[in-house]
């Protein structure tokens, strides 16, 4: 393999260094392209552009592989726990027993939010989408925790990281309770991360609530499956926002805003709404035809991925988790699961989907699972945001610690009017 890429442009020859990663495609380093040739590259949607160097997550989209710090996602999800995965993403290694106890203790004992933040919620309409509340309240953390906004201080970065992992479930549960018109429930430090979240969402002061350990384990696994995913749209948003030196709470709020879109994290809500709209297996052919029709904007939500051209490895674990949750809850006949399974079967054998390599992604089965756990569709993307926070934070920390880090400033292919003179209003 050559370590130089040659470019012939405008009658001149140029050479650019080629870098090899630990695995994955080579990267042509074009950082000096403009300085040497006077030309930019154009790559809308960044399909061929590596925006940074990273040691955190690796995806082989052709083979359907997802590794966190080298560990396959299915092993982490089936054998590990979410806080262990958080530690892995943040610090690069799985924790030993002492490290695990220290980290879990630190997260568990910082779950409460500043009491005055409760008033913030009251400013939102009761029918506000919980993601709108998340964007606002997470951004507002920077107004309450001034001692962890100096990004140049490693200690403050560490405190901000742990604070967000600890407090996001509390904020997410409060967004849910506010939406529902129920009183906020304080966190309980004797519960594990997922159990505490279920407790804050589903317990009410008027009766006892016991967390079902099978459901808590399923939720923990859902968190692991969403923890990080390389340089996706919301992670790139966090990196770009923080490249200007913005504080970490503001940057994570920016990531949450990006995640909300239906092409990204919002797809889990959209996928469940679509399954409900299809309603029964006999209507599937009609929707498959609509998805294939170029003149119809309808897409099969939960299908296709920018990087995976194979079955999303997270979708496989999610499908299994969906079955476990439904079995535990004694739901033997879920019409939406029937629609999902039949839709998957038909789409996977349809030439349109086969040729375009459109496979189910993580969002296809997550909605069914979250709905069975008791969450309304409006909360689905909130749960995604809660779990992805650790990925965003890990990527943010890596970026801040990278000595090559500079403000992100893409350029453009300008196609607007060339210079012209101002015309006075009466002469236009
Ligand atoms: N249904 C029908 N056709 C599709 C679909 C779909 N879900 N996804 C892609 N296509 C077609 C698309 O019309 C295009 O066809 P053609 O080449 O004839 O113009 C081709 O496949 C390539 O699509 P694209 O939009 O150029 O691909 P992309 O990489 O820009 O988009 C995507 C990726 C995930 C946005 C897209 O597949 C999609 O909109 N899927 C539905 C939404 C969804 O499930 N998103 C969740 C992604 S996974 C969770 C996460 O990481 O956030």
């Amino acid at each position: 393999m050559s370590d130089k890429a040659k470019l012939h442009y405008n009658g001149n020859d140029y050479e650019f260094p080629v870098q090899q990663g630990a695995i994955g495609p080579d990267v042509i380093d074009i950082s000096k392209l403009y300085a040497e040739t006077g030309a930019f590259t154009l790559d809308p949607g960044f399909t061929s552009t590596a925006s940074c160097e990273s040691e955190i997550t690796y995806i082989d989209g052709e083979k359907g592989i997802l590794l966190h710090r080298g560990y396959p996602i299915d092993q982490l999800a089936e054998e590990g726990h979410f806080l262990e995965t958080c530690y892995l993403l943040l610090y690069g290694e799985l924790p030993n027993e002492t490290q695990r106890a220290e980290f879990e203790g630190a997260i568990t004992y910082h779950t409460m939010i500043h009491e005055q933040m409760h008033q913030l919620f009251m400013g939102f309409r009761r029918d506000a989408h919980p993601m709108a509340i998340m964007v606002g309240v997470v951004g507002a953390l920077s107004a309450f925790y001034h001692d962890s906004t100096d990004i140049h201080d490693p200690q403050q970065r560490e405190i901000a990281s742990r604070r967000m992992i600890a407090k996001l479930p509390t904020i997410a549960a409060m967004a849910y309770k506010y939406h529902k018109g129920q009183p906020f429930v304080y966190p309980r430090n004797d519960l594990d991360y997922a159990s505490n979240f279920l407790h804050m969402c589903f317990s009410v002061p008027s009766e006892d609530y016991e967390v079902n350990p099978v459901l808590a384990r399923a939720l923990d696994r859902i968190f692991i499956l969403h923890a990080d995913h390389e340089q996706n749209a919301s992670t790139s948003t966090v990196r770009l926002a923080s490249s200007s030196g913005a504080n970490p709470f503001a940057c994570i709020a920016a990531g949450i805003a990006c995640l909300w879109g239906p092409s990204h994290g919002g797809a889990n809500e959209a996928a469940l709404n679509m399954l409900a709209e299809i309603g029964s297996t006999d209507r599937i052919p009609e929707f498959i035809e609509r998805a294939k029709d170029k003149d119809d904007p309808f897409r099969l939500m939960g299908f296709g991925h920018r990087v995976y051209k194979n079955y999303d490895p997270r979708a496989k674990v999610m499908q299994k988790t969906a079955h476990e949750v439904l079995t535990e809850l004694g739901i033997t006949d879920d019409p939406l699961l029937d629609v999902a399974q039949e839709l998957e079967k038909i789409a996977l054998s349809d030439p349109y989907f086969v040729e375009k390599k459109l496979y189910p992604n993580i969002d296809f089965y997550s909605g069914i699972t979250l709905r069975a756990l008791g969450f309304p569709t409006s909360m689905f993307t909130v749960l995604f945001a809660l779990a992805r926070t650790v990925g965003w934070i890990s990527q943010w920390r890596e970026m801040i610690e990278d000595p090559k880090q500079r403000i992100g400033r893409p350029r453009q292919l300008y196609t607007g009017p060339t210079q012209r003179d101002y015309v006075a209003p009466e002469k236009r």
Side-chain angles (χ1 to χ4, degrees):
M1 192 78 61
S2 165
D3 58 356
K4 294 262 188 269
K6 294 186 197 322
L7 173 73
H8 184 75
Y9 169 68
N10 251 352
N12 296 313
D13 290 309
Y14 302 93
E15 282 193 338
F16 296 97
V18 175
Q19 292 185 36
Q20 267 113 39
I23 31 174
D26 288 349
V27 170
I28 302 167
D29 177 353
I30 53 144
S31 53
K32 301 240 165 20
L33 180 84
Y34 176 59
E36 291 182 12
T37 68
F40 297 141
T41 54
L42 178 66
D43 183 17
F46 305 111
T47 53
S48 306
T49 298
S51 60
C52 63
E53 211 177 298
S54 181
E55 296 180 357
I56 301 173
T57 292
Y58 173 75
I59 303 173
D60 184 331
E62 298 300 325
K63 295 196 184 122
I65 292 172
L66 168 61
L67 308 176
H68 289 325
R69 304 279 192 187
Y71 295 101
I73 189 65
D74 50 325
Q75 289 183 24
L76 291 171
E78 279 170 18
E79 294 168 47
H81 290 277
F82 179 63
L83 284 186
E84 193 182 56
T85 302
C86 290
Y87 189 98
L88 175 70
L89 289 168
L90 287 169
Y91 306 113
E93 294 296 336
L94 286 167
N96 62 28
E97 202 38 50
T98 316
Q99 292 163 331
R100 189 197 59 74
E102 186 280 326
F103 183 68
E104 287 192 14
I107 298 300
T108 305
Y109 282 88
H110 292 91
T111 45
M112 289 207 301
I113 59 167
H114 194 293
E115 194 63 15
Q116 209 180 327
M117 288 192 85
H118 290 223
Q119 307 308 317
L120 247 174
F121 282 83
M122 307 307 160
F124 289 97
R125 282 172 53 143
R126 284 278 173 185
D127 61 354
H129 194 289
M131 277 300 274
I133 299 180
M134 292 296 287
V135 174
V137 177
V138 173
L141 286 170
S142 47
F144 286 87
Y145 297 99
H146 301 139
D147 59 343
S148 54
T149 51
D150 179 358
I151 61 159
H152 303 295
D153 178 348
Q155 178 67 11
Q156 293 203 26
R157 293 203 296 270
E158 184 66 27
I159 294 171
S161 306
R162 290 178 174 215
R163 269 190 178 140
M164 279 190 275
I165 296 166
K167 296 183 197 310
L168 252 289
T170 313
I171 296 171
M174 288 172 79
Y176 170 64
K177 287 297 201 189
Y178 187 73
H179 192 57
K180 209 146 163 68
Q182 290 183 357
F184 296 140
V185 174
Y186 284 91
R188 262 181 50 189
N189 292 350
D190 60 323
L191 295 175
D192 64 73
Y193 198 80
S195 301
N196 179 45
F197 183 63
L198 288 173
H199 156 76
M200 289 190 291
C201 287
F202 298 126
S203 70
V204 286
S206 46
E207 57 188 67
D208 287 340
Y209 173 79
E210 211 166 305
V211 179
N212 178 328
V214 176
L215 303 186
R217 177 73 189 110
L219 185 62
D220 191 80
R221 198 175 296 137
I222 292 170
F223 289 160
I224 297 173
L225 293 177
H226 288 89
D228 191 47
H229 212 226
E230 207 226 52
Q231 308 310 321
N232 57 82
S234 57
T235 302
S236 298
T237 299
V238 170
R239 280 190 180 251
L240 196 57
S242 55
S243 77
S244 71
N247 79 69
F249 305 111
C251 296
I252 300 304
I256 295 174
C258 177
L259 186 77
W260 195 358
S263 297
H264 193 7
N268 50 17
E269 183 175 344
L272 196 89
N273 290 339
M274 177 196 74
L275 293 175
E277 195 191 341
I278 298 175
S280 59
T281 50
D282 56 310
R283 293 192 66 206
I284 291 174
E286 178 195 325
F287 281 83
I288 292 269
E289 283 319 304
R290 283 187 60 195
K292 289 160 40 174
D293 182 355
K294 284 260 155 273
D295 299 324
D296 189 332
F298 175 77
R299 283 186 170 201
L300 275 194
M301 300 313 285
F303 264 79
H305 197 275
R306 169 60 61 78
V307 181
Y308 293 120
K309 301 302 166 200
N310 202 323
Y311 213 101
D312 180 340
R314 303 168 300 172
K316 284 188 187 151
V317 186
M318 187 58 85
Q319 187 189 33
K320 207 169 132 200
T321 306
H323 283 287
E324 277 170 19
V325 166
L326 294 177
T327 307
E328 175 63 19
L329 293 170
I331 304 172
T332 46
D333 184 23
D334 181 348
L336 293 197
L337 183 65
D338 293 345
V339 172
Q341 285 177 326
E342 190 58 20
L343 184 63
E344 177 183 348
K345 210 158 73 193
I346 295 177
L348 289 180
S349 58
D350 187 295
Y352 174 92
F353 291 89
V354 173
E355 277 156 28
K356 294 187 191 302
K357 299 186 177 172
L358 299 170
Y359 291 84
N361 58 50
I362 187 170
D363 293 320
F364 192 60
Y365 284 104
S366 66
I368 289 175
T369 321
L370 295 176
R371 189 185 60 131
L373 285 171
F375 293 103
T377 45
S378 58
M379 277 297 287
F380 293 177
T381 315
V382 174
L383 270 91
F384 192 157
L386 185 175
R388 180 57 58 85
T389 294
V390 67
W392 291 328
I393 293 171
S394 306
Q395 303 269 350
W396 164 73
R397 289 161 62 111
E398 183 179 68
M399 195 190 93
I400 302 281
E401 286 160 20
D402 182 351
K404 294 200 289 279
Q405 190 267 324
R406 303 169 75 188
I407 187 166
R409 177 57 171 93
R411 301 304 302 266
Q412 62 177 7
L413 171 66
Y414 177 70
T415 53
T418 53
Q419 185 168 333
R420 46 187 173 162
D421 290 328
Y422 178 78
V423 181
E426 68 279 10
K427 293 194 178 152
R428 284 175 214 157

